[in-house]
């Protein structure tokens, strides 16, 4: 092999010398010829290496660009410190830039609100949305929960045809998906189901053959899964809550201690990972108040809560159109839930607005004039089934974990995440049930709360369950 290489080199030198002699170039020694040939080889190798590097960089850039341009669903959690008109401002950010909100769940309060928004787009689109939301006044925190381990849930009410021949098969599917029947009539069933969005799609696909009449969905809500150990965000919160459980302290004492733990004890907000107190508040409460803004019964002025069911086209900007029409007329939104409807390309908005019957009738007539709105119905005076969904993270040391689980069992709540110092519960029901459970758990320390708005469907059975509460039935 070595002899062959030497022969090839000598032939190359001879050829180079003969070419120089033919064209009249100055004669060169064999050593100079060898240096020229080696230099050409090095330049060829350098050019080949550069070409390979450029190709590798181009390939890497294309792969990175493909990964960034991939469209997927993002779950955005937005915590704001102001409720008045904030829904319209948040929806306006998406509408002005052509982003379509796939689902929206809002937990409202007098001085703060928690939004859980699902938007479809690339990572670049998401970054733009987060930057624009952070520019809004009184927006405290914006997070993309899709990048972290989290629990997500959604609530759906679905009304479908059910005659005696198909009822048994429907009940079989209800048991498989761990759903509940909330209303029944001679020809229909209304089912409540809670779970992740994949479960909703699977159940809907299995029930389509029976004929789906109406669907009301809350939209997705999510909470981060709590980490283990002292580096977890709510470790200090839990540690501050539990010395008082032994002495059976009052709610006020526990609230004061947890407030000091959240603010670092000096009245300024801590930056050690706690979720809510990112800027100081004088009378800050770390959870949403379940009782706020609810008008149960009609008062002397005729004011009461009204439930509106609105069917709209699923196009960018339609939510901003609806909320803008409500806010411009001075109405206050108590509850809002947006999710896909029973037909492709339609969404159902369920909202609760306080007012007199006359004022709400005027509002309904104004909403009916809007484009992209297919139907609006005030179901307040009809018998309807209403449900809300709440995820609540409770500080639960091992000494009190059994008590928290016993309370959850009474309210038919489910534990969906457990760490060494917290328990995350999932509960569905009306707002009275949510308020009662939250009140019972406040003494243990509530870390986080994520709530949906109310969803409701008219009861085909005609039974109004509100008149049955508080009255004993005859035996």
């Amino acid at each position: 092999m070595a002899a062959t290489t030497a022969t090839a080199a000598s032939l190359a030198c001879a050829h180079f010398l003969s070419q120089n002699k033919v064209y009249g170039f100055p004669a060169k020694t064999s050593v100079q010829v060898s240096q020229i040939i080696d230099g050409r080889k090095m330049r060829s190798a350098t050019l080949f290496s550069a070409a390979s590097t450029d190709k590798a960089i181009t390939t890497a850039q294309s792969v990175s660009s493909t990964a960034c341009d991939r469209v997927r669903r993002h779950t955005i959690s937005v915590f704001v410190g102001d409720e008045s008109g904030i829904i319209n401002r948040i929806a306006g950010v998406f509408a002005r830039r052509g982003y379509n909100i796939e689902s929206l769940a809002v937990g409202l309060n007098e001085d703060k609100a928690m939004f859980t928004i699902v938007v479809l787009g690339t990572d670049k689109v998401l970054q733009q949305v987060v930057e624009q939301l952070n520019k809004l006044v009184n927006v405290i925190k914006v997070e993309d929960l899709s990048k972290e381990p989290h629990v997500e849930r959604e609530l759906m009410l679905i009304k479908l045809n059910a005659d005696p021949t198909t009822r048994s098969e429907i009940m079989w599917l209800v048991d498989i998906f761990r759903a509940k029947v909330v209303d029944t009539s001679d020809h229909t069933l209304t089912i409540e189901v809670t779970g992740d969005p994949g479960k909703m799609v699977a159940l809907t696909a299995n029930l389509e053959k029976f004929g789906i009449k109406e669907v009301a969905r809350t939209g997705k809500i999510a909470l981060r899964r709590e980490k283990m150990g002292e580096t977890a965000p709510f470790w200090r919160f839990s540690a501050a809550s539990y010395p008082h459980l032994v002495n059976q302290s009052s709610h006020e004492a526990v609230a004061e201690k947890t407030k000091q733990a959240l603010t670092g004890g000096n009245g300024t907000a801590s930056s050690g990972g706690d979720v809510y107190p990112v800027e100081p508040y004088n009378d800050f409460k770390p959870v949403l108040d379940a009782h706020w803004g609810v008008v149960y019964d009609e008062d002397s002025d005729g004011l009461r809560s009204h439930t509106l069911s609105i069917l709209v086209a699923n196009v960018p900007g339609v939510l901003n159109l609806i909320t803008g029409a409500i806010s411009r007329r001075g109405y206050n939104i108590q509850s809002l839930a947006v999710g896909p409807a029973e037909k492709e390309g339609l969404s159902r908005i369920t909202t609760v607005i306080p007012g007199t019957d006359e004022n709400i009738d005027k509002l309904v007539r104004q909403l009916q004039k809007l484009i992209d709105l297919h139907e609006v119905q005030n179901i307040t005076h009809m018998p309807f089934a209403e449900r809300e969904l709440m995820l609540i993270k409770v500080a639960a040391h091992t000494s009190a974990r059994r008590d928290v689980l016993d309370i959850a069992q009474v309210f038919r709540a489910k534990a969906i995440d457990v760490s060494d110092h917290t328990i995350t519960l999932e509960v569905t029901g009306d707002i009275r049930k949510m308020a009662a459970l939250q009140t019972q758990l406040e003494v243990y320390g509530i870390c986080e709360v994520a709530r949906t708005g109310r969803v409701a469907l008219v009861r085909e059975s005609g039974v109004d369950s509100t008149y049955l509460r508080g009255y004993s039935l005859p035996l």
Side-chain angles (χ1 to χ4, degrees):
M1 182 67 182
T4 305
T5 305
T7 304
S10 61
L11 289 174
C13 289
H15 176 72
F16 190 82
L17 290 170
S18 63
Q19 290 293 325
N20 285 342
K21 187 175 181 180
V22 170
Y23 293 103
F25 291 109
K28 292 182 173 60
T29 63
S30 59
V31 176
Q32 291 174 328
V33 172
S34 300
Q35 291 176 350
I36 293 173
I37 293 174
D38 292 340
R40 288 179 177 176
K41 289 181 179 179
M42 290 179 64
R43 284 196 299 272
S44 299
T46 302
L47 292 173
F48 178 75
S49 176
S52 301
T53 304
D54 292 341
K55 184 177 180 181
I57 292 174
T58 305
T59 305
Q61 289 176 346
S62 63
V63 171
S64 177
S65 177
T66 303
C68 293
D69 294 340
R70 186 172 53 195
V71 177
R72 58 185 183 134
R73 286 179 176 84
H74 297 271
T75 304
I76 304 174
S77 176
V78 185
F79 186 64
V80 298
D82 174 31
E83 185 274 327
S84 178
I86 192 63
I87 296 178
N88 192 32
R89 283 192 282 150
I90 295 290
V93 171
F94 293 88
R96 288 191 297 271
R97 289 155 185 85
Y99 305 142
N100 190 23
I101 297 177
E102 196 165 285
S103 71
L104 172 68
V106 186
L108 293 175
N109 203 348
E110 186 175 5
D111 57 350
K112 54 187 174 292
M114 174 70 78
F115 290 74
T116 306
I117 305 169
V118 179
V119 62
L120 195 65
T122 62
D123 291 340
K124 185 177 180 180
V125 169
L126 175 69
Q127 183 181 0
Q128 293 175 349
V129 169
V130 172
E131 290 176 355
Q132 294 297 330
L133 289 174
N134 278 318
K135 294 179 183 178
L136 295 180
V137 178
N138 286 331
V139 170
I140 300 175
K141 196 167 188 178
V142 182
E143 292 181 310
D144 179 16
L145 297 179
S146 306
K147 299 180 180 179
E148 303 180 41
H150 63 280
V151 290
E152 59 183 24
R153 290 294 185 271
E154 188 176 352
L155 173 66
M156 178 173 67
L157 294 180
I158 180 168
K159 185 190 296 182
L160 67 155
N161 298 318
D163 53 49
T165 60
T166 60
R167 195 174 295 258
S168 59
E169 186 177 356
I170 293 174
M171 295 304 298
W172 176 64
L173 289 171
V174 167
D175 291 337
I176 290 177
F177 285 91
R178 296 189 295 277
K180 302 176 185 176
V181 176
V182 296
D183 185 64
T184 179
S185 68
D186 293 338
H187 303 289
T188 63
L189 279 176
T190 303
I191 299 169
E192 167 203 334
V193 61
T194 306
D196 57 85
K199 181 179 178 180
M200 305 296 163
V201 173
L203 178 60
T204 304
N206 280 277
L207 294 178
E208 280 181 347
K209 60 184 178 182
F210 303 107
I212 296 176
K213 300 186 66 175
E214 285 184 88
V215 172
R217 292 173 65 172
T218 59
K220 183 167 64 175
I221 58 174
L223 287 181
R224 281 197 305 265
R225 290 190 182 272
E226 187 69 9
K227 299 178 181 178
M228 303 289 286
E230 298 184 4
T231 59
F234 289 103
W235 176 268
R236 284 193 302 115
F237 184 93
S238 179
S241 299
Y242 273 87
H244 303 275
L245 291 179
V246 179
N247 300 326
Q248 296 295 323
S249 295
S250 63
H251 289 262
E252 292 77 8
V254 175
E256 181 64 26
K257 287 295 182 182
T258 52
K259 178 182 177 182
Q260 292 179 4
L262 288 171
T263 59
N266 55 5
T268 58
S270 169
S271 60
D274 292 330
V275 173
Y276 285 120
V278 295
E279 65 182 57
Y281 277 78
N282 294 327
D283 53 350
F284 189 86
K285 297 180 182 179
V287 296
L288 300 176
D289 183 8
H291 295 275
W292 177 79
V294 179
V295 184
Y296 292 115
D297 301 315
E298 185 174 346
D299 62 9
S300 58
D301 296 330
L303 186 69
R304 62 175 300 168
S305 295
H306 290 260
T307 303
L308 303 183
S309 179
I310 307 171
L311 196 64
V312 298
N314 187 14
V315 295
V318 66
L319 179 61
N320 183 46
L321 193 69
I322 299 296
T323 57
I326 296 173
S327 62
R328 284 195 301 271
R329 289 161 180 81
Y331 296 103
N332 182 29
I333 297 177
Q334 292 178 348
S335 170
L336 182 72
V338 184
E342 58 274 8
K343 294 182 180 179
E344 188 72 23
L346 297 180
S347 295
R348 186 175 297 277
I349 301 174
T350 308
T351 182
V352 180
I353 303 173
T356 62
D357 292 342
E358 181 181 359
N359 291 336
I360 298 300
D361 288 340
K362 292 180 181 178
L363 176 62
V364 169
R365 289 195 294 270
Q366 292 293 331
L367 292 175
Q368 289 172 343
K369 299 177 182 179
L370 299 178
I371 59 173
D372 295 326
L373 190 145
H374 292 252
E375 180 187 8
V376 56
Q377 188 179 18
N378 184 5
I379 63 175
T380 305
H381 300 288
M382 301 184 228
F384 62 89
E386 60 170 303
R387 290 294 184 274
E388 291 188 24
L389 171 65
M390 179 171 67
L391 300 181
I392 181 167
K393 186 184 292 184
V394 186
H397 193 262
T398 53
S399 61
R401 187 170 297 170
R402 183 68 263 170
D403 296 337
V404 173
L405 291 177
D406 287 342
I407 294 175
Q409 185 177 4
V410 171
F411 286 87
R412 295 189 294 277
K414 296 189 294 185
I416 57 176
D417 185 58
V418 179
S419 71
D420 54 354
H421 57 283
T422 62
I423 294 179
T424 303
L425 301 176
E426 166 204 321
V427 60
T428 60
D430 60 14
I431 193 170
R432 297 173 179 83
K433 182 179 178 180
M434 305 294 173
L437 176 61
Q438 188 168 314
T439 302
Q440 291 295 320
L441 295 176
E442 279 178 356
V443 68
Y444 299 97
I446 298 177
C447 304
E448 284 184 290
V449 172
R451 283 177 53 200
T452 67
R454 176 192 297 179
V455 291
L457 289 180
V458 176
R459 292 182 180 269
E460 296 292 333
S461 62
V463 177
D464 193 348
S465 61
T466 57
Y467 293 104
L468 301 179
R469 294 171 183 160
Y471 299 96
S472 58
L473 297 176
L475 298 176

